[in-house]
Amino acid sequence: MKPHTKTTGVVNPGLPLGPSAPGREWAPSQDSPLPLYKQIADYLTGFIRSGVWPAGMRLPPQRELCRQLKVNRSTLVTALGQLTALGLIEGNRGGGTKVVISPDETTPAPGRAGNWNDYVEEGTHYPNLPAVQAINRLEYEPGLIRLGTGEPAPELLPGAAMQAILAELAQKPLSLAYEEPLGSPRLRAAVSAHLARLGITAPPSSILITSGALQGLQLVALGLLPRGGAILLERPSYLYSIHAFQSAGVKLGGLPMDERGLLTGSIARETRRSQAAMLYSIPSFHNPTGILMDRERREALMAVTEALQLPVLEDGAYQELWLDYPPPPPLKALDHTGRVLHLGTLSKAACPGLRIGWVVGPEPVVRRLADIKMQSDYGASSLSQLVAARWLEGGYHEEHNGFLRRMLRERRDTMLAILQQHFTGLASWNRPAGGFYIWLSLHKPLPLRTLFRTAHKAGLLLNTGDLYDRSDNRHLRLSYAFATPEELAAGLPRLAQLIRSFKLTKKSPLPGE
């Protein structure tokens, strides 16, 4: 993995609101005597004069500004010319257009530390990968077919059941105070009972409620691992697409996989070589490959890590989302010495927006993580915890999972049939037994960043393999969880056609850069 480098400037802030028109989205005034380009110039000047766009910030590319403002390029170029004449922006060959200090701000105040762009550049938390930033923005762009999104489609979420729970809770007195450091006792008891059905023995005192499983990863990185240390993980892995561990100064050491999951034969050697402090694994329906680690491989992993006394961080986000048959017990269910920390979440099945997850582990460990959590957000939403407790207590979770499995099974089979028809001879793929993902392996390598841009222009949003392994140039993570069957039927043949006719083109910025 290449060392982290920071990008210059803040890219593509978007134009949701304008300082010159507080509370309103951009819209040209039909009654204004000013021509359209002058209205746009005044609107953008408001962003700069108010500090929303600070000195040093790189503006979005012209095509993106045209899309946001709904104007043609010649109108925008004229408007930007006005800002250049005022000394508010300047363009550099190959470097885009940046905000500069306005004429009335050329003399910094005594002791002034610098502009906001300096602070953005100096922050210790790594920014998302540019491709991830682009995906996070483009997921809300109307009309795109999202072929890689790792969440259930809105129609697969339990809206009616959640409304019933909220209506029921509204009839009773609500406590909106902070919860205990470990989280709501009621929710932790419900999670304990839920985990017991998965084979995990975990009293409420060994459970920490988090704001999604992602926060659990961040807490572990900050609270349990030494700066400059290392963690082992499957390669490819979801963990490469975020910077929870790297921002905490922890290095990632990738381990190979096969169709049965992580190859355990390399764990001891890599642990000694890197002095790794922990192993991270997604044994059930791995993200991004969809691979299910079988029982024998899980037992081998536990035996090797036991001999090494190597702690294990198990990500169980997809454990319940089996489609053909239940997976083997979680690693935590095989743990008899307290070496495994288990991450769980309601985001993949029940409600991403509820932001409820949990960490299960030895009591001293979860208390340590709880202390760090209290310093960062003082606990997950008490209302979300109340809803989650009722969701688990009332049997809603099991009922909804049955529905979700049926829907995901149908969508998986639809995607597999389309792949068979349009990608035979072009790529190979696995048949996942659960989760959200099919790992598409192209027969020929491609520059995946260019493919991403080309697909976006064709109305498709992709998750390319280099997000999960920087050296990858021949994989796509396809998700059957979000796009509708109709969108899959339209989008996948379009993608196959793009790949077949793909030609190297001059590199252009990612959408929104």
Side-chain angles (χ1 to χ4, degrees):
M1 177 179 173
K2 293 181 179 180
H4 166 73
T5 55
K6 291 189 176 183
T7 57
T8 301
V10 180
V11 180
N12 187 23
L15 298 170
L17 300 174
S20 59
R24 292 177 52 212
E25 293 186 2
W26 157 257
S29 171
Q30 303 299 324
D31 301 326
S32 173
L34 298 176
L36 182 57
Y37 77 86
K38 188 65 171 63
Q39 292 185 50
I40 292 173
D42 289 348
Y43 180 70
L44 299 183
T45 297
F47 279 83
I48 297 171
R49 295 293 191 193
S50 67
V52 174
W53 286 4
M57 192 202 79
R58 182 151 50 98
L59 268 63
Q62 290 184 4
R63 65 179 181 279
E64 177 66 13
L65 284 172
C66 288
R67 184 189 69 80
Q68 295 183 20
L69 295 167
K70 298 180 175 62
V71 296
N72 60 42
R73 188 170 182 273
S74 62
T75 301
L76 177 66
V77 168
T78 305
L80 294 179
Q82 297 280 303
L83 270 63
T84 301
L86 291 171
L88 299 178
I89 62 173
E90 64 180 10
N92 296 311
R93 183 181 298 271
T97 301
K98 295 182 180 181
V99 176
V100 296
I101 298 292
S102 57
D104 58 349
E105 295 180 316
T106 54
T107 304
R112 183 172 176 178
N115 59 53
W116 280 116
N117 193 61
D118 295 331
Y119 290 91
V120 169
E121 292 298 308
E122 292 303 319
T124 58
H125 198 291
Y126 293 177
N128 262 326
L129 298 171
V132 174
Q133 293 186 45
I135 290 170
N136 289 341
R137 290 190 298 269
L138 294 172
E139 284 185 331
Y140 299 95
E141 183 176 299
L144 279 182
I145 297 177
R146 294 160 58 173
L147 293 177
T149 297
E151 66 182 81
E155 64 271 17
L156 301 184
L157 296 176
M162 285 295 177
Q163 284 183 319
I165 289 174
L166 290 168
E168 175 189 333
L169 294 176
Q171 303 304 313
K172 301 175 182 178
L174 291 177
S175 172
L176 300 181
Y178 293 123
E179 295 288 355
E180 296 180 11
L182 288 178
S184 157
R186 178 179 175 182
L187 176 55
R188 286 187 285 120
V191 170
S192 176
H194 166 69
L195 291 171
R197 290 189 284 272
L198 300 177
I200 296 174
T201 300
S205 58
S206 68
I207 298 170
L208 168 65
I209 302 302
T210 60
S211 298
L214 178 57
Q215 187 183 47
L217 292 173
Q218 294 168 329
L219 294 174
V220 169
L222 290 170
L224 301 182
L225 298 175
R227 193 166 189 86
I231 183 171
L232 301 181
L233 70 163
E234 295 111 341
R235 188 169 186 175
S237 175
Y238 160 74
L239 215 57
Y240 283 104
S241 70
I242 60 173
H243 288 140
F245 286 86
Q246 298 95 317
S247 293
V250 177
K251 302 172 185 176
L252 306 183
L255 299 174
M257 305 174 68
D258 64 11
E259 69 280 359
R260 296 172 53 207
L262 178 65
L263 289 167
T264 57
S266 59
I267 293 176
R269 180 179 65 255
E270 287 302 312
T271 299
R272 288 190 289 268
R273 186 192 65 80
S274 65
Q275 295 297 298
M278 186 175 289
L279 183 145
Y280 168 83
S281 179
I282 311 174
S284 293
F285 317 120
H286 177 263
N287 180 7
T289 66
I291 290 171
L292 174 63
M293 188 185 295
D294 62 30
R295 176 69 182 251
E296 183 180 357
R297 188 66 60 83
R298 294 181 192 224
E299 291 175 346
L301 184 152
M302 292 298 292
V304 171
T305 54
E306 171 69 21
L308 295 168
Q309 289 297 289
L310 181 67
V312 175
L313 177 58
E314 176 186 28
D315 192 333
Y318 302 92
Q319 177 75 28
E320 300 174 273
L321 296 178
W322 54 269
L323 304 182
D324 299 325
Y325 45 83
L331 299 177
K332 185 62 180 174
L334 306 177
D335 176 26
H336 305 298
T337 59
R339 286 184 304 101
V340 177
L341 297 180
H342 178 86
L343 297 175
T345 182
L346 291 181
S347 294
K348 297 303 179 184
C351 186
L354 206 59
R355 304 310 304 136
I356 291 294
W358 49 84
V359 180
V360 181
E363 291 185 10
V365 174
V366 297
R367 285 199 300 267
R368 163 66 171 155
L369 300 181
D371 176 63
I372 299 173
K373 179 173 170 59
M374 291 295 283
Q375 296 179 58
S376 60
D377 67 3
Y378 228 72
S381 161
S382 56
L383 183 57
S384 289
Q385 292 189 66
L386 183 60
V387 172
R390 188 70 189 100
W391 171 261
L392 292 173
E393 293 168 347
Y396 294 97
H397 191 65
E398 289 76 15
E399 181 179 355
H400 175 68
N401 276 343
F403 161 79
L404 184 59
R405 291 185 192 112
R406 291 193 300 273
M407 295 298 101
L408 290 176
R409 190 180 302 118
E410 291 178 7
R411 293 186 182 214
R412 177 201 61 182
D413 292 346
T414 295
M415 178 175 277
L416 290 171
I418 297 172
L419 291 177
Q420 183 67 33
Q421 182 178 358
H422 294 278
F423 282 79
T424 297
L426 191 64
S428 58
W429 53 90
N430 59 326
R431 177 186 175 86
F436 291 164
Y437 310 117
I438 290 175
W439 191 232
L440 189 74
S441 179
L442 303 173
H443 289 337
K444 295 182 179 180
L446 289 177
L448 295 181
R449 292 297 87 222
T450 308
L451 178 61
F452 179 94
R453 291 182 279 268
T454 304
H456 173 247
K457 292 177 182 177
L460 307 175
L461 185 58
L462 302 179
N463 281 53
T464 51
D466 54 340
L467 299 181
Y468 314 102
D469 179 350
R470 301 290 187 272
S471 64
D472 191 293
N473 60 4
R474 60 193 313 154
H475 288 94
L476 300 175
R477 187 189 81 173
L478 299 179
S479 169
Y480 44 83
F482 193 86
T484 66
E486 293 75 21
E487 288 175 327
L488 294 177
L492 287 172
R494 194 183 310 169
L495 175 61
Q497 184 178 9
L498 280 178
I499 294 172
R500 283 196 168 90
S501 62
F502 196 81
K503 295 180 180 179
L504 293 179
T505 59
K506 183 179 178 181
K507 182 178 179 181
S508 57
L510 288 168
E513 283 190 351

